[in-house]
Amino acid sequence: MIPGRGGAGGKKRGGHFKIEPFRHKVDLDPQYAEKTWKVLEDAIHEIHNHNAFGLSFEELYRNAYNMVLHKFGDRLYKGLEDTITAHLVEVSKKIDVAQGLLFLEETNKRWEDHNKSMQMIRDILMYMDRTYVNQHGKTPVHELGLKLWRDTVVRCDTIKPRLSATLLELIQKERSGETIDRALVRCITKMLMDLGTQVYCEDFERPFLEASADFYKVESQEYIASSDCPAYLKKAEQRLNEETARVSHYLDPSTETKITTVVEKELVGTQVKILVDLPNSGLVALMKDDKFDDLERMFCLFRRGGVLQGLSTMRDSMSEYLRETGKHLVLDPERIKDPVEYVQRLLDERDKMDDIIKKSFHNDKTFQHTLNQGVSEEEVEVVLDKVMMLFRYLQEKDVFEKYYKQHLAKRLLPGRSMSDDAERSLLVKAFEYFINLNPRSPEFISLFVDDKLRKGLK
């Protein structure tokens, strides 16, 4: 051991030396934090004034780094928050004095400037963001910039109501046929979404939907008083298409379902019964005149989610029409005299309704069921009597038996027969004719009985 060096770099413990780290105390200027912050504050002002080209971002980053390293993170973060807030207070004043469309233009311009400034500031304070902010549960610099813009500018007492009212006014003008600056509106609504979904919903979407409901409530009354059913349906379809396009142009996609539901409810749903029952242009008139396009338009509009009981109202009206038509044919003494014309008329009506359901109602099963149930038991019996009257004139009844058996099998096997009672009634009526031709029961009668036994229905 060299004399005189034992206590310089370590302590002897049990015959061994422990090497301790070298410590050099750094004496900071008492004004270090404030002086360094002043440099950073001045730089932030220059950034806000669009004079960032003369700044040394490397030197600014080092200053911010040293402040955090020397435990002045609190001072740095608080200074940043106060400086940005003070700047945005002045920005809000400049936005507030703008009038008309310039109000939105100024808001958008200042918003773009704010985003660019916060990007540069975040780069300078990157070390603080990674260390101090995480360790102390603070809001990151970028999110802090959004929060301060929201609270200081967008939700300023004088700006918030004007922002919503100006957007709604422009949308109202567009609905009235005027051309508006869609790109500008898109920028503002996107700004609101960038500030958070809650901001977009509370500050714009909610008042937008309320104003839209009021608008279409009034418009529905005006339309129904001046339009027939086809014209009204075309206008409703056009409005729905316009709202869908409006969302794609400048609203958030999440708004589409909400606004279309409003239109469906106020413009279509409130007028369902009136439209269906219009005497000269409602559902029955459209079916009688083979207005396939108008019927399809009604079907497509009435089945939308915001239209309550639309299709059920159509089915009820259709069912009533079928009953009245069948009753008229049954009770028409002129048609009863000619069984061939009578049955042909029924077949024509059935084919016509099948065609409507296929072309206009998209083969909807509920409408098919309504069609199948549209004739009463008494009317079925009358029809079957007329069919058997026609049957007497058939020259080749064995050929009829062959084809009838084939079609009966097609109905029974997949369970597509509309009525077991109707099938049974026809078989009973036909039996006496066939039994005279052939001493055995016709095969299609056995086919029907076997099918019922198989299903446990005797």
Side-chain angles (χ1 to χ4, degrees):
M1 177 178 175
I2 301 175
R5 295 189 178 182
K11 297 179 179 179
K12 185 175 181 180
R13 293 181 180 178
H16 299 282
F17 284 97
K18 178 183 178 183
I19 306 300
E20 295 182 348
F22 178 79
R23 299 182 185 276
H24 175 70
K25 183 178 179 181
V26 178
D27 295 323
L28 290 176
D29 182 347
Q31 297 298 316
Y32 168 78
E34 292 304 319
K35 289 180 180 180
T36 306
W37 164 245
K38 186 64 171 60
V39 172
L40 293 171
E41 183 184 31
D42 290 343
I44 293 174
H45 287 316
E46 291 299 305
I47 290 173
H48 285 152
N49 292 328
H50 308 289
N51 293 325
F53 60 86
L55 298 176
S56 171
F57 280 81
E58 181 180 356
E59 181 180 345
L60 293 171
Y61 177 87
R62 188 181 303 112
N63 284 331
Y65 173 89
N66 287 330
M67 283 194 71
V68 175
L69 191 65
H70 293 300
K71 309 302 181 183
F72 293 115
D74 287 340
R75 180 67 184 94
L76 179 59
Y77 191 91
K78 183 66 167 56
L80 170 69
E81 188 172 11
D82 291 344
T83 302
I84 295 177
T85 300
H87 169 71
L88 292 181
V89 168
E90 296 304 313
V91 167
S92 66
K93 293 177 181 178
K94 294 177 181 179
I95 293 175
D96 193 38
V97 298
Q99 300 298 317
L101 195 60
L102 292 176
F103 170 73
L104 292 186
E105 293 176 353
E106 186 70 14
T107 300
N108 183 51
K109 178 181 179 299
R110 296 293 177 172
W111 165 245
E112 291 177 348
D113 289 345
H114 177 68
N115 280 326
K116 292 177 183 177
S117 298
M118 289 307 303
Q119 179 62 52
M120 289 186 278
I121 293 171
R122 183 173 63 171
D123 290 343
I124 293 172
L125 303 178
M126 189 180 300
Y127 183 73
M128 182 189 75
D129 239 1
R130 292 203 309 259
T131 57
Y132 173 83
V133 166
N134 286 334
Q135 294 169 2
H136 294 79
K138 298 290 185 177
T139 304
V141 173
H142 175 70
E143 286 74 12
L144 177 64
L146 296 178
K147 175 179 178 294
L148 294 177
W149 177 270
R150 178 196 68 196
D151 297 341
T152 311
V153 178
V154 171
R155 288 190 165 173
C156 171
D157 292 340
T158 58
I159 292 178
K160 179 180 177 180
R162 287 183 63 195
L163 192 62
S164 174
T166 305
L167 290 172
L168 296 182
E169 181 182 355
L170 289 175
I171 293 173
Q172 177 63 29
K173 286 182 177 181
E174 188 176 53
R175 283 174 176 159
S176 300
E178 297 185 37
T179 300
I180 66 171
D181 188 345
R182 288 176 169 176
L184 177 59
V185 176
R186 175 61 183 167
C187 289
I188 299 299
T189 57
K190 186 179 183 303
M191 174 195 73
L192 295 175
M193 276 299 296
D194 289 343
L195 296 176
T197 304
Q198 185 179 6
V199 177
Y200 173 83
C201 292
E202 292 182 0
D203 293 13
F204 168 73
E205 188 182 67
R206 185 178 300 166
F208 166 67
L209 295 176
E210 292 173 353
S212 298
D214 293 338
F215 172 79
Y216 285 115
K217 189 177 298 181
V218 173
E219 189 167 81
S220 71
Q221 296 299 322
E222 295 174 350
Y223 279 178
I224 203 67
S226 60
S227 309
D228 61 12
C229 182
Y232 188 100
L233 295 175
K234 288 179 182 178
K235 290 177 181 178
E237 184 180 58
Q238 179 183 347
R239 283 305 196 186
L240 281 166
N241 291 336
E242 288 175 359
E243 293 300 336
T244 301
R246 182 167 292 112
V247 171
S248 68
H249 287 306
Y250 52 76
L251 301 182
D252 187 76
S254 63
T255 304
E256 181 174 350
T257 301
K258 301 173 187 177
I259 184 57
T260 54
T261 299
V262 168
V263 181
E264 291 163 6
K265 178 182 176 182
E266 299 298 341
L267 198 56
V268 182
T270 57
Q271 306 296 341
V272 163
K273 183 65 175 172
I274 295 176
L275 290 169
V276 168
D277 293 341
L278 282 175
N280 298 317
S281 64
L283 177 65
V284 172
L286 296 177
M287 290 192 297
K288 287 181 178 179
D289 296 337
D290 295 331
K291 299 293 186 179
F292 295 109
D293 290 342
D294 293 327
L295 288 168
E296 183 179 21
R297 185 173 291 108
M298 177 182 284
F299 174 80
C300 291
L301 287 173
F302 283 17
R303 72 174 177 175
R304 297 179 73 103
V307 183
L308 301 179
Q309 300 182 340
L311 295 185
S312 63
T313 303
M314 288 179 64
R315 288 193 295 268
D316 291 344
S317 179
M318 174 180 164
S319 180
E320 179 65 24
Y321 167 72
L322 292 173
R323 285 194 297 269
E324 291 298 321
T325 302
K327 183 178 180 181
H328 175 71
L329 289 173
V330 169
L331 299 179
D332 188 346
E334 295 301 322
R335 295 190 184 277
I336 292 178
K337 293 178 182 179
D338 188 344
V340 175
E341 181 184 353
Y342 175 80
V343 173
Q344 186 60 50
R345 182 75 174 88
L346 286 175
L347 294 175
D348 290 345
E349 283 294 327
R350 171 75 189 205
D351 289 344
K352 178 177 181 177
M353 295 308 301
D354 277 334
D355 213 23
I356 289 174
I357 292 174
K358 180 180 179 180
K359 293 181 179 179
S360 300
F361 299 162
H362 300 184
N363 263 332
D364 186 273
K365 292 183 179 180
T366 61
F367 282 88
Q368 293 174 349
H369 179 74
T370 299
L371 176 60
N372 292 336
Q373 299 299 320
V375 182
S376 66
E377 294 182 6
E378 293 78 6
E379 292 167 347
V380 170
E381 288 299 318
V382 173
V383 173
L384 292 180
D385 287 338
K386 298 303 175 185
V387 170
M388 296 316 302
M389 189 176 296
L390 286 175
F391 181 73
R392 292 174 180 172
Y393 298 100
L394 289 178
Q395 298 297 320
E396 298 178 350
K397 295 181 175 60
D398 55 336
V399 176
F400 174 84
E401 176 185 358
K402 174 184 175 182
Y403 283 102
Y404 183 81
K405 179 177 69 176
Q406 292 175 356
H407 287 286
L408 178 62
K410 290 180 181 179
R411 293 195 300 274
L412 293 178
L413 292 178
R416 293 172 54 189
S417 177
M418 61 175 272
S419 170
D420 285 344
D421 291 337
E423 298 281 10
R424 187 180 295 107
S425 179
L426 178 60
L427 294 177
V428 170
K429 293 176 186 295
F431 181 76
E432 60 179 281
Y433 295 102
F434 281 104
I435 204 65
N436 292 328
L437 297 176
N438 194 326
R440 63 176 177 81
S441 297
E443 291 184 8
F444 65 80
I445 294 180
S446 300
L447 180 66
F448 180 78
V449 173
D450 291 345
D451 180 72
K452 297 303 111 181
L453 290 175
R454 177 175 59 82
K455 295 178 180 179
L457 302 172
K458 296 184 179 180

